[in-house]
mmCIF file of all heavy atoms in Angstrom:
data_model
loop_
_atom_site.group_PDB
_atom_site.id
_atom_site.type_symbol
_atom_site.label_atom_id
_atom_site.label_comp_id
_atom_site.label_asym_id
_atom_site.label_seq_id
_atom_site.Cartn_x
_atom_site.Cartn_y
_atom_site.Cartn_z
ATOM 1 N N HIS A 131 1.079 -46.689 -68.196
ATOM 2 C CA HIS A 131 1.107 -47.839 -69.114
ATOM 3 C C HIS A 131 1.905 -48.988 -68.509
ATOM 4 O O HIS A 131 1.492 -50.160 -68.575
ATOM 5 C CB HIS A 131 1.707 -47.420 -70.454
ATOM 6 C CG HIS A 131 1.844 -48.557 -71.430
ATOM 7 N ND1 HIS A 131 0.751 -49.095 -72.086
ATOM 8 C CD2 HIS A 131 2.937 -49.263 -71.841
ATOM 9 C CE1 HIS A 131 1.165 -50.077 -72.860
ATOM 10 N NE2 HIS A 131 2.481 -50.204 -72.735
ATOM 11 N N THR A 132 3.046 -48.660 -67.880
ATOM 12 C CA THR A 132 3.884 -49.693 -67.268
ATOM 13 C C THR A 132 3.146 -50.399 -66.139
ATOM 14 O O THR A 132 3.187 -51.628 -66.023
ATOM 15 C CB THR A 132 5.181 -49.071 -66.725
ATOM 16 O OG1 THR A 132 5.896 -48.445 -67.800
ATOM 17 C CG2 THR A 132 6.070 -50.131 -66.081
ATOM 18 N N ILE A 133 2.465 -49.629 -65.302
ATOM 19 C CA ILE A 133 1.742 -50.220 -64.169
ATOM 20 C C ILE A 133 0.591 -51.090 -64.662
ATOM 21 O O ILE A 133 0.389 -52.205 -64.174
ATOM 22 C CB ILE A 133 1.228 -49.111 -63.244
ATOM 23 C CG1 ILE A 133 2.402 -48.424 -62.534
ATOM 24 C CG2 ILE A 133 0.249 -49.662 -62.221
ATOM 25 C CD1 ILE A 133 2.001 -47.221 -61.722
ATOM 26 N N CYS A 134 -0.173 -50.602 -65.647
ATOM 27 C CA CYS A 134 -1.314 -51.374 -66.141
ATOM 28 C C CYS A 134 -0.879 -52.670 -66.826
ATOM 29 O O CYS A 134 -1.622 -53.664 -66.812
ATOM 30 C CB CYS A 134 -2.147 -50.525 -67.108
ATOM 31 S SG CYS A 134 -3.063 -49.189 -66.289
ATOM 32 N N GLN A 135 0.322 -52.680 -67.402
ATOM 33 C CA GLN A 135 0.807 -53.879 -68.072
ATOM 34 C C GLN A 135 0.959 -55.043 -67.102
ATOM 35 O O GLN A 135 0.767 -56.206 -67.482
ATOM 36 C CB GLN A 135 2.162 -53.586 -68.732
ATOM 37 C CG GLN A 135 2.070 -52.784 -70.009
ATOM 38 C CD GLN A 135 1.569 -53.620 -71.172
ATOM 39 O OE1 GLN A 135 0.383 -53.637 -71.472
ATOM 40 N NE2 GLN A 135 2.477 -54.320 -71.836
ATOM 41 N N VAL A 136 1.339 -54.757 -65.861
ATOM 42 C CA VAL A 136 1.621 -55.836 -64.908
ATOM 43 C C VAL A 136 0.515 -55.980 -63.863
ATOM 44 O O VAL A 136 0.643 -56.776 -62.938
ATOM 45 C CB VAL A 136 2.975 -55.595 -64.199
ATOM 46 C CG1 VAL A 136 4.109 -55.626 -65.206
ATOM 47 C CG2 VAL A 136 2.975 -54.258 -63.452
ATOM 48 N N MET A 137 -0.560 -55.226 -63.992
ATOM 49 C CA MET A 137 -1.659 -55.331 -63.040
ATOM 50 C C MET A 137 -2.400 -56.654 -63.210
ATOM 51 O O MET A 137 -2.562 -57.143 -64.330
ATOM 52 C CB MET A 137 -2.662 -54.188 -63.244
ATOM 53 C CG MET A 137 -2.354 -52.941 -62.463
ATOM 54 S SD MET A 137 -3.723 -51.778 -62.624
ATOM 55 C CE MET A 137 -3.111 -50.444 -61.607
ATOM 56 N N PRO A 138 -2.875 -57.224 -62.104
ATOM 57 C CA PRO A 138 -3.781 -58.367 -62.243
ATOM 58 C C PRO A 138 -5.030 -57.960 -63.019
ATOM 59 O O PRO A 138 -5.413 -56.792 -63.041
ATOM 60 C CB PRO A 138 -4.121 -58.726 -60.788
ATOM 61 C CG PRO A 138 -3.034 -58.114 -59.964
ATOM 62 C CD PRO A 138 -2.597 -56.891 -60.703
ATOM 63 N N ALA A 139 -5.655 -58.935 -63.643
ATOM 64 C CA ALA A 139 -6.809 -58.642 -64.505
ATOM 65 C C ALA A 139 -7.913 -57.932 -63.743
ATOM 66 O O ALA A 139 -8.567 -57.032 -64.275
ATOM 67 C CB ALA A 139 -7.330 -59.937 -65.122
ATOM 68 N N ARG A 140 -8.122 -58.320 -62.468
ATOM 69 C CA ARG A 140 -9.210 -57.711 -61.705
ATOM 70 C C ARG A 140 -8.974 -56.220 -61.479
ATOM 71 O O ARG A 140 -9.897 -55.413 -61.506
ATOM 72 C CB ARG A 140 -9.375 -58.417 -60.365
ATOM 73 C CG ARG A 140 -8.203 -58.231 -59.420
ATOM 74 C CD ARG A 140 -8.380 -58.977 -58.111
ATOM 75 N NE ARG A 140 -7.334 -58.644 -57.152
ATOM 76 C CZ ARG A 140 -6.118 -59.152 -57.174
ATOM 77 N NH1 ARG A 140 -5.800 -60.034 -58.119
ATOM 78 N NH2 ARG A 140 -5.224 -58.798 -56.275
ATOM 79 N N LEU A 141 -7.684 -55.823 -61.281
ATOM 80 C CA LEU A 141 -7.372 -54.411 -61.079
ATOM 81 C C LEU A 141 -7.381 -53.650 -62.393
ATOM 82 O O LEU A 141 -7.827 -52.510 -62.458
ATOM 83 C CB LEU A 141 -6.006 -54.264 -60.397
ATOM 84 C CG LEU A 141 -5.904 -54.750 -58.960
ATOM 85 C CD1 LEU A 141 -4.528 -54.454 -58.402
ATOM 86 C CD2 LEU A 141 -6.965 -54.079 -58.095
ATOM 87 N N ARG A 142 -6.867 -54.290 -63.455
ATOM 88 C CA ARG A 142 -6.852 -53.621 -64.764
ATOM 89 C C ARG A 142 -8.273 -53.321 -65.211
ATOM 90 O O ARG A 142 -8.539 -52.276 -65.801
ATOM 91 C CB ARG A 142 -6.136 -54.493 -65.790
ATOM 92 C CG ARG A 142 -5.824 -53.743 -67.091
ATOM 93 C CD ARG A 142 -5.134 -54.624 -68.101
ATOM 94 N NE ARG A 142 -3.973 -55.281 -67.542
ATOM 95 C CZ ARG A 142 -3.853 -56.600 -67.437
ATOM 96 N NH1 ARG A 142 -4.843 -57.386 -67.829
ATOM 97 N NH2 ARG A 142 -2.761 -57.133 -66.946
ATOM 98 N N HIS A 143 -9.192 -54.216 -64.897
ATOM 99 C CA HIS A 143 -10.597 -53.977 -65.257
ATOM 100 C C HIS A 143 -11.143 -52.780 -64.492
ATOM 101 O O HIS A 143 -11.866 -51.954 -65.061
ATOM 102 C CB HIS A 143 -11.427 -55.226 -64.947
ATOM 103 C CG HIS A 143 -12.901 -55.038 -65.170
ATOM 104 N ND1 HIS A 143 -13.460 -54.913 -66.424
ATOM 105 C CD2 HIS A 143 -13.935 -54.913 -64.286
ATOM 106 C CE1 HIS A 143 -14.760 -54.740 -66.310
ATOM 107 N NE2 HIS A 143 -15.076 -54.733 -65.025
ATOM 108 N N ARG A 144 -10.799 -52.654 -63.206
ATOM 109 C CA ARG A 144 -11.271 -51.508 -62.425
ATOM 110 C C ARG A 144 -10.727 -50.203 -62.989
ATOM 111 O O ARG A 144 -11.431 -49.189 -63.070
ATOM 112 C CB ARG A 144 -10.846 -51.659 -60.965
ATOM 113 C CG ARG A 144 -11.548 -52.768 -60.217
ATOM 114 C CD ARG A 144 -11.051 -52.876 -58.790
ATOM 115 N NE ARG A 144 -11.361 -51.662 -58.031
ATOM 116 C CZ ARG A 144 -10.931 -51.439 -56.792
ATOM 117 N NH1 ARG A 144 -10.168 -52.341 -56.188
ATOM 118 N NH2 ARG A 144 -11.255 -50.326 -56.163
ATOM 119 N N ILE A 145 -9.447 -50.210 -63.371
ATOM 120 C CA ILE A 145 -8.842 -48.992 -63.922
ATOM 121 C C ILE A 145 -9.440 -48.662 -65.281
ATOM 122 O O ILE A 145 -9.707 -47.498 -65.601
ATOM 123 C CB ILE A 145 -7.315 -49.151 -64.018
ATOM 124 C CG1 ILE A 145 -6.710 -49.287 -62.622
ATOM 125 C CG2 ILE A 145 -6.689 -47.965 -64.736
ATOM 126 C CD1 ILE A 145 -6.973 -48.118 -61.717
ATOM 127 N N ASP A 146 -9.664 -49.692 -66.117
ATOM 128 C CA ASP A 146 -10.218 -49.447 -67.449
ATOM 129 C C ASP A 146 -11.631 -48.876 -67.380
ATOM 130 O O ASP A 146 -12.036 -48.095 -68.252
ATOM 131 C CB ASP A 146 -10.222 -50.743 -68.265
ATOM 132 C CG ASP A 146 -8.817 -51.177 -68.658
ATOM 133 O OD1 ASP A 146 -7.908 -50.324 -68.606
ATOM 134 O OD2 ASP A 146 -8.631 -52.368 -68.990
ATOM 135 N N THR A 147 -12.397 -49.266 -66.358
ATOM 136 C CA THR A 147 -13.757 -48.748 -66.248
ATOM 137 C C THR A 147 -13.786 -47.340 -65.657
ATOM 138 O O THR A 147 -14.820 -46.679 -65.717
ATOM 139 C CB THR A 147 -14.620 -49.675 -65.369
ATOM 140 O OG1 THR A 147 -14.003 -49.809 -64.079
ATOM 141 C CG2 THR A 147 -14.760 -51.045 -66.006
ATOM 142 N N LEU A 148 -12.667 -46.904 -65.098
ATOM 143 C CA LEU A 148 -12.598 -45.549 -64.549
ATOM 144 C C LEU A 148 -12.153 -44.594 -65.654
ATOM 145 O O LEU A 148 -10.970 -44.325 -65.833
ATOM 146 C CB LEU A 148 -11.621 -45.493 -63.372
ATOM 147 C CG LEU A 148 -11.488 -44.142 -62.671
ATOM 148 C CD1 LEU A 148 -12.779 -43.769 -61.963
ATOM 149 C CD2 LEU A 148 -10.333 -44.147 -61.692
ATOM 150 N N GLN A 149 -13.100 -44.111 -66.421
ATOM 151 C CA GLN A 149 -12.805 -43.208 -67.530
ATOM 152 C C GLN A 149 -12.845 -41.773 -67.013
ATOM 153 O O GLN A 149 -13.909 -41.171 -66.872
ATOM 154 C CB GLN A 149 -13.803 -43.418 -68.667
ATOM 155 C CG GLN A 149 -13.746 -44.807 -69.277
ATOM 156 C CD GLN A 149 -12.401 -45.106 -69.901
ATOM 157 O OE1 GLN A 149 -11.766 -44.236 -70.511
ATOM 158 N NE2 GLN A 149 -11.932 -46.336 -69.736
#
Side-chain angles (χ1 to χ4, degrees):
H131 177 74
T132 301
I133 291 174
C134 289
Q135 284 285 95
V136 297
M137 271 188 179
R140 67 182 188 281
L141 292 184
R142 192 181 308 118
H143 175 71
R144 291 179 64 186
I145 295 301
D146 290 342
T147 57
L148 182 67
Q149 297 298 322

